[in-house]
Amino acid sequence: MNPSDQIDVMLADPAAAQGARATEWLRLIEPAERARYDRYRVEGARQEYLTGRALVRTGLSRHADVDPADWRFEANRYGRPSVVAEQARLVPGLVFNLSHTRGLVALAVGRDCDVGVDVEWIDRQSRLSDLCTRYFAADETAYVRAAEGDELTERFFAFWTLGEAYIKARGMGLALPLDGFAYDITGDRPTIRFEPTCPDDPARWRFLRRAIGDRHRLALAVSSPEALLRVRFAWSTPGDVGAGADDASGLAAPEDALLVRGGGLAAS
């Protein structure tokens, strides 16, 4: 199998980061990561951070003969982390992206591509329609505000997660102007357009949205030369052997998907 034609998306429940398991995961991380972990004062945030670091290390070790505790990372000038050069040579083209929110951590791993993933907890009390003008393009804002109730929430987090996934895949953070791109989610697949302030080619991008249970939404952005790209989802507890279709509470992982270059989704 060509390793470049697959994206693995591993999902984890941060509530697992306690007791003996948390102690085990803390042994995997570097001193700087441990110092950041210790600075968190909210237990939920501590669990999300530790689960994310453990998931990155154990997830990458499924793709390379490197012990999870031995991975080392460096950041680009925008703060995006990657594997250090000497380890990257062991698995050329290996890329990853991590996202975490209240109650969920997600890691996307691929080869020879640009990939970004975002997960969000949608059970919030914020006035979402008021946030649109700050973060969304004018037509995205209008589309969100044309809905009410649950549908407004779905539209808001569709644009939010897709935007975050694209920004993370580019690896440039907020150096990309938020008004430089906009999505259309009215068709069978999300599509993107760009303004002159954010030059890019829409044809090179493929996007995927998924619900993770009732309270979380996920978006994936991928730019890959492969004509057909398989996206595989699985729940994973860092350090455990293998990955499963369900988490400890029985919540099912999303169905796998096939993304066609220039054609959206194919039958999986």
Side-chain angles (χ1 to χ4, degrees), residues 174-185:
L174 292 180
L176 292 175
L178 295 178
D179 60 357
F181 59 91
Y183 284 95
D184 183 345
I185 61 171

Side-chain angles (χ1 to χ4, degrees), residues 6-158:
Q6 181 168 304
I7 302 291
D8 290 322
V9 180
M10 288 166 268
L11 308 170
D13 182 354
Q18 53 185 311
R21 183 164 277 149
T23 301
E24 173 191 346
W25 293 351
L26 286 169
R27 295 192 188 103
L28 301 179
I29 64 178
E30 297 177 320
E33 294 172 319
R34 176 60 190 258
R36 182 172 177 182
Y37 169 82
D38 289 338
R39 286 196 294 271
Y40 284 104
R41 293 293 175 259
V42 177
E43 183 60 24
R46 285 163 59 94
Q47 292 176 333
E48 289 166 26
Y49 178 77
L50 180 57
T51 303
R53 301 319 305 161
L55 187 62
V56 167
R57 290 174 173 278
T58 58
L60 291 178
S61 290
R62 295 178 182 175
H63 295 260
D65 187 20
V66 177
D67 187 85
D70 290 340
W71 287 106
R72 296 293 178 264
F73 305 97
E74 58 190 3
N76 70 6
R77 64 190 178 110
Y78 302 103
R80 175 173 178 162
S82 60
V83 175
V84 296
E86 57 266 30
Q87 291 182 330
R89 287 193 286 269
L90 300 174
V91 190
L94 182 67
V95 296
F96 70 93
N97 195 239
L98 179 73
S99 180
H100 56 80
T101 187
R102 179 173 175 178
L104 182 64
V105 178
L107 172 71
V109 181
R111 295 275 291 273
D112 302 311
C113 66
D114 296 322
V115 62
V117 65
D118 187 57
V119 289
E120 298 292 339
W121 176 66
I122 69 169
D123 191 12
R124 304 184 184 184
Q125 301 303 314
S126 307
R127 287 183 55 83
L128 300 179
S129 60
D130 293 342
L131 296 175
C132 292
T133 53
R134 245 179 108 182
Y135 299 106
F136 296 162
D139 48 355
E140 292 175 331
T141 296
Y143 188 67
V144 171
R145 290 179 170 174
E148 297 179 351
D150 292 343
E151 181 58 25
L152 185 150
T153 299
E154 289 293 338
R155 293 182 183 187
F156 177 91
F157 282 103

Side-chain angles (χ1 to χ4, degrees), residues 80 97 115-118 159-171 183 205 207-208 219-222:
R80 175 173 178 162
N97 195 239
V115 62
V117 65
D118 187 57
F159 289 129
W160 184 282
T161 55
L162 286 165
E164 285 290 307
Y166 170 72
I167 288 171
K168 295 175 73 179
R170 288 287 304 272
Y183 284 95
W205 289 99
F207 303 99
L208 184 65
L220 189 73
V222 186

Side-chain angles (χ1 to χ4, degrees), residues 241-266:
V241 176
D246 305 280
D247 77 347
S249 67
L251 188 64
E255 292 185 359
D256 295 349
L258 290 176
L259 299 180
V260 181
R261 188 173 59 207
L265 291 168

